Every structure is written in structure tokens, then in C-alpha cells.
Amino acid sequence: MKKSQLEVVILAAGLGTRMKSTTIKILHRAAGRPIIEYVLDLAAAVSDRPPIMIVGHQQDAVRAVCGDRARYAVQEEQLGTGHAVLQSALLLEAASMTGKTVLVLSGDVPLTRAETLFRLIEQHEKEGNALTLLSMRLDNPAMYGRIVRDADGSVERIVEARDASAEQKAIREVNAGIYLFDATLLFDPLRNLSTDNAQGEYYLTDLISVFRKSGRRVGAVVAEDPVEAIGVNSRAELATVEGEIQRRVVDRLMNEGVTFRNPSTVVIDSTVTIGPDSVIYPFVTIEGTTIIGRGCIVEPGCHLQNVRVGDDVHLKTGTVAEGAVIADQATVGPYAHLRPGTKLGRHVKIGNFVETKKAVFGDRSKASHLSYVGDAEIGADVNIGAGTITCNYDGVNKNKTVLEDGVFIGSDTQLVAPVRVGRGAYVGAGSTITKDVPPDALALSRTPQKTVEGWATRRREQLKKK
Ligand code: UD1
Ligand code: CA
């Protein structure tokens, strides 16, 4: 089938009461993306036309997320899946539907693979069916609709769990909520559905008996991997879905040449890119738009969010970074915190217990121990001693510290911003720098040392006498 012959309808109007959430279930996130986005990807894999999304609950939020990746039809009241599909009639019947097929996807079923849909399409065409649906076999069929087959094995009808007899409840083959319809046969019967069932809803699944009665064929493809058909109706199912996406992300990255020392312990969003020969240690979380280059080492407990990491970067244990950019061959941590606006040049070294924010470091500069560097512009080859603090905040404004190329800041220094230390200058340890330092100068603000010879001996003798 040509991609242009397939129209996709996504059911996304229901709130999802079992989630016990104020957010509609399709906007809950799994591996960094709202679950509806996985369904949109699937629709795009099989059809050239933007899918028609049936929206109702929180439709403004849904439209804000999906934008022009979908067309929209509103279902004001959620009267059931059959009623939901009917809302696409206006958009679909306008076009000539002869020769077209309508694929119905559920907005809450995000794990289906495109290959499985292609299998469904192939069988639908081969058998000339009015309807071909995706089923799966579950050990615990729970709340899914049961597939009732007749004596010769063809699908006779679907019985919802709430409407099922004890005998029917024992059926392990269930309805995945994914259907292909012959477009010309879909809408008339939808208009004639009844609500004679336990939920008083218009069931899409009732079309099976309608087609059978008029002598049309209904087929079913069993999903090889039942995980493909899991619907997100509860937090437990959301966690299952997240776990599966995590496994797929890690598998993809391993195929692309990334080493994981213990893959089951990492959490990586599906939006993340990691280059070959990088090594990810256990208990690492990588989120958002993070891109990691080749040959990097990410040690245990690192948490990266929207970070750009170059090649051969070493992120040591416990590094936390958000909105930072790290160039090739830099070393960070252990236990460093790179906050938004941090930019590290090549070969930069940020050591333990260093916090940076809106701080740009030139190539080869170092802050190796216990420092805060905020609102700062650091040149190349700068050495920032242990315990250096940029005092960037005066209670009202954030002020800037500039350290030009080759500056040496002694340990335990406060740089009271706004302040500039000129190229090649030295600041002595323990200084509080409040005025600009010219290039190649030495600035020192500590009080001169006083040494009293023999003081300690005299003190001890005095104490003994008491
Ligand atoms: C449905 C199927 C069930 C199947 C299961 C698979 C029916 C009657 N039952 O049950 O056989 O095993 O999916 O996941 O179809 N929706 C609307 N408008 C409505 C009702 C639902 O847009 O009026 C949307 C929901 O937001 C959801 C999807 O349709 O995205 C499925 O609805 P849901 O209520 O979750 O159906 P299930 O009870 O899971
Ligand atoms: Ca569902």
C-alpha cells in the first residue's frame, strides 16, 4: 500500500481516570517524551498524511504538544471509542475514500513497532478484509477486550472485560486497540452503533459483528511481542512502558557503539545521542536534548540534562550538569555542578566540589577544587586555586568577573564582581579582590603575617604551672 492511501486516526480524547492525575494520560512522559509523541512517530512511519487526532479532554494542551504534526477533530463528550472514530468522518468523508484504508491507533498505546503495522497492512490487503485488527496473547488479560474466535478460527467478536462471562474472561487473546478499516465501509455502521453494554458506550469493537453479519471478512494479526500493545491506563503501565523504551534506547545506543557497564541501571531519554566508544557507568541519568560525543567516560551517579558534551570528555562520579556545553577532552568532577550557561573549552579541568553558572572557560583553564564560579568570563590557561569564590551577587544585580588569559588566582580568594583581572596577572592566596588588576601585576589583600618566636613554648609552660 502506498503511504498516501492510508489515513490515520488517533484516539486521544479520554482523560484516563485510572492514572489519578490532573494531566491527560497521553501527555504523561515516558523516557523524556509525552507518550502521544511515540504514537505520532508511528503514524508518520506508515502515512504521508498528518493523522487525525480525536481530542476532547485538555485539548488545548494536546494541540500545544502535537502542533501541526496532526489534524484535529473534537469529541465534545467521550461516549466511547466508536463515537470517537465517528468524529473523523467530517475530515475523512470530504475526500474520496474509495481505495483508502483507515488505520485507527490509540493515543495511549505507544510501544507498537512500525514493522508490526506493516504486517497488519499486508494481511489486510492480502485477505481483502473490511477490518483487520492487532491482537496479543497475555498471561493476565486484565481489562483488555477478549477476542472471541468462531469454530474455524476467525474473529467473531470482541467482548470487553466488563461485559465478559467467566468463560470469556479466561480467553488470553486480547484486542490491542489498533485497527485497519476499509474506509468506504467504516462510517455508516458507526452511526448505527448501540450503547447496550456495561459501560453504556459506543464500542468501536462492535463493528466486528456488523461486518460479519453483512458477510465481510474480519482478520487479526497477533503481535509477536505483547509489549507492543500495552496501553497506558495506570501508573504501573506507564512504568512498564518507560522500562521498555529504556531498553530500546540502550539497545539502539549499544548498536551504535556505546558501552554500558550495567545497562539495566541507567535512565536515558529517547531524545539523547551518544557517540561510539563512549562508556556509561551504572546509575547514570541522561535527559532532554543531551548530546555526548565519542570516546567519553560517564562515571556512576552523573546526572546530565540538556548538556552538549564533545569527544573524549571524562565526567567523573557524581557530576550534575544542566544546560552546559563541554568541549573535547575536558574533565569534570567528581561531584561538580555545572549549571546553565556554563561553557568549558578544550582540556578544561573542573575538579571536585566546584559549582559553575553562566561561566565561560577558555581552553586548558582549571578550577580543580572547592570553588564557585558564576557570571564569569575566564580566558585560556587560567588557574583558579582551591576555594575561590566569585562574589557575583550584590543583593540586587548579578555582576561579572573577567579573568583574562594566563591569570593565576591563589587559593581562598574572593573576587568581588564586577571585577577584571588582566592578562597574566597573579592574585595572592587569601585575597579579597574588589578592584580591577592590571595585566602582569600581583594583587594581594591579606594582612601581613606576624610571627612571635617561642610563643607556643611559653604558653605551654604557663598552662602547666596552673
Ligand atoms: C479499548 C478497547 C479494548 C482494548 C483496549 C486496548 C473498546 C470498546 N475497547 O479499551 O477492547 O483491549 O482499548 O488498549 O474500544 N477514547 C476517546 N474517546 C472516547 C473513549 C476513548 O478518544 O469516547 C480514547 C482514549 O482516550 C484512549 C483510547 O480511545 O486513548 C482507548 O480508550 P480506553 O478508554 O482506554 O479504552 P480501553 O478501556 O482501554
Ligand atoms: Ca486503554
Side-chain angles (χ1 to χ4, degrees):
M1 186 184 303
K2 287 205 204 87
K3 270 175 115 184
S4 58
Q5 283 173 305
L6 195 68
E7 293 278 1
V8 183
V9 174
I10 300 176
L11 306 184
L15 178 63
T17 46
R18 280 177 277 164
M19 291 294 284
K20 311 255 167 65
S21 174
T22 53
T23 303
I24 186 171
K25 64 178 162 181
I26 57 163
L27 294 186
H28 279 263
R29 300 172 90 84
R33 300 172 80 199
I35 60 169
I36 190 66
E37 291 200 3
Y38 297 100
V39 183
L40 283 172
D41 283 354
L42 202 55
V46 295
S47 174
D48 289 331
R49 314 251 307 135
I52 297 171
M53 199 174 299
I54 312 300
V55 291
H57 279 283
Q58 300 179 17
Q59 54 169 297
D60 292 342
V62 175
R63 284 172 201 252
V65 166
C66 302
D68 58 11
R69 283 179 286 174
R71 292 170 284 166
Y72 300 91
V74 179
Q75 185 191 26
E76 296 290 356
E77 265 185 291
Q78 285 70 55
L79 302 178
T81 47
H83 181 258
V85 173
L86 186 55
Q87 309 313 306
S88 68
L90 217 58
L91 281 166
L92 288 184
E93 282 183 323
S96 163
M97 294 309 288
T98 318
K100 288 214 174 163
T101 303
V102 176
L103 168 67
V104 176
L105 299 175
S106 294
D108 62 345
V109 180
L111 296 178
T112 318
R113 292 186 169 92
E115 300 90 82
T116 304
L117 292 186
F118 288 126
R119 251 190 343 120
L120 197 65
I121 292 168
E122 200 181 280
Q123 182 153 340
H124 182 74
E125 286 190 314
K126 200 172 71 195
E127 295 180 350
N129 293 335
L131 161 61
T132 311
L133 56 89
L134 187 68
S135 74
M136 55 179 167
R137 279 188 230 286
L138 296 181
D139 291 336
N140 171 19
M143 294 307 288
Y144 290 94
R146 308 297 199 265
I147 309 267
V148 180
R149 294 194 181 247
D150 63 14
D152 46 279
S154 55
V155 178
E156 190 177 283
R157 59 198 192 103
I158 291 176
V159 184
E160 289 306 301
R162 288 185 186 83
D163 302 301
S165 64
E167 201 183 323
Q168 289 165 332
K169 275 211 176 97
I171 298 174
R172 287 175 43 205
E173 188 185 1
V174 299
N175 171 26
I178 290 173
Y179 320 82
L180 281 172
F181 289 99
D182 177 333
T184 50
L185 301 176
L186 176 59
F187 294 108
D188 282 337
L190 277 183
R191 293 190 178 95
N192 294 313
L193 286 179
S194 85
T195 56
D196 184 15
N197 54 55
Q199 300 184 82
E201 289 186 356
Y202 296 99
Y203 286 171
L204 181 61
T205 44
D206 283 352
L207 289 188
I208 296 169
S209 11
V210 177
F211 290 141
R212 299 253 318 184
K213 272 182 204 138
S214 58
R216 311 270 181 190
R217 289 185 51 96
V218 175
V221 168
V222 185
E224 269 163 28
D225 180 0
V227 85
E228 289 198 45
I230 287 177
V232 177
N233 303 292
S234 63
R235 303 279 175 165
E237 283 169 332
L238 181 64
T240 305
V241 163
E242 165 103 34
E244 174 63 17
I245 299 175
Q246 289 296 326
R247 274 187 291 280
R248 291 182 187 182
V249 167
V250 168
D251 280 350
R252 166 173 63 80
L253 290 169
M254 290 197 291
N255 278 327
E256 290 168 7
V258 180
T259 294
F260 289 88
R261 305 253 347 240
N262 188 344
S264 63
T265 64
V266 302
V267 174
I268 301 184
D269 281 354
S270 50
T271 41
V272 166
T273 309
I274 305 178
D277 287 327
S278 286
V279 179
I280 312 298
Y281 278 67
F283 302 108
V284 164
T285 297
I286 308 177
E287 296 180 299
T289 56
T290 299
I291 299 176
I292 296 177
R294 300 164 166 266
C296 293
I297 300 171
V298 183
E299 288 186 356
C302 287
H303 184 181
L304 310 178
Q305 204 170 40
N306 306 330
V307 177
R308 252 175 52 212
V309 181
D311 297 335
D312 303 311
V313 169
H314 190 168
L315 302 179
K316 296 185 181 171
T317 299
T319 294
V320 175
E322 63 248 15
V325 178
I326 304 170
D328 300 349
Q329 282 155 320
T331 305
V332 183
Y335 307 107
H337 186 188
L338 309 182
R339 292 169 50 203
T342 295
K343 275 194 187 152
L344 308 184
R346 298 162 69 97
H347 292 280
V348 162
K349 183 180 176 218
I350 300 294
N352 32 203
F353 308 110
V354 173
E355 175 184 350
T356 64
K357 184 215 75 173
K358 277 196 192 159
V360 180
F361 283 73
D363 294 348
R364 297 172 303 278
S365 287
K366 291 178 185 163
S368 299
H369 331 267
L370 300 154
S371 291
Y372 171 63
V373 184
D375 298 293
E377 202 183 292
I378 317 287
D381 301 301
V382 170
N383 187 34
I384 297 177
T388 297
I389 309 287
T390 53
C391 309
N392 58 329
Y393 187 49
D394 56 18
V396 182
N397 296 308
K398 297 286 169 65
N399 300 300
K400 196 165 175 181
T401 299
V402 180
L403 306 180
E404 293 180 357
D405 293 349
V407 158
F408 181 96
I409 305 291
S411 297
D412 191 25
T413 294
Q414 299 92 55
L415 298 157
V416 182
V419 73
R420 170 183 289 267
V421 180
R423 177 183 273 269
Y426 270 64
V427 170
S431 295
T432 301
I433 300 299
T434 53
K435 292 188 271 255
D436 287 357
V437 179
D440 297 318
L442 166 69
L444 198 60
S445 78
R446 58 184 185 233
T447 45
Q449 179 172 327
K450 184 175 153 190
T451 307
V452 184
E453 295 276 357
W455 181 92
T457 319
R458 290 197 294 279
R459 165 92 176 141
R460 276 192 293 272
E461 276 161 8
Q462 250 173 16
L463 288 174
K464 253 188 258 168
K465 276 183 212 154
K466 272 189 185 166

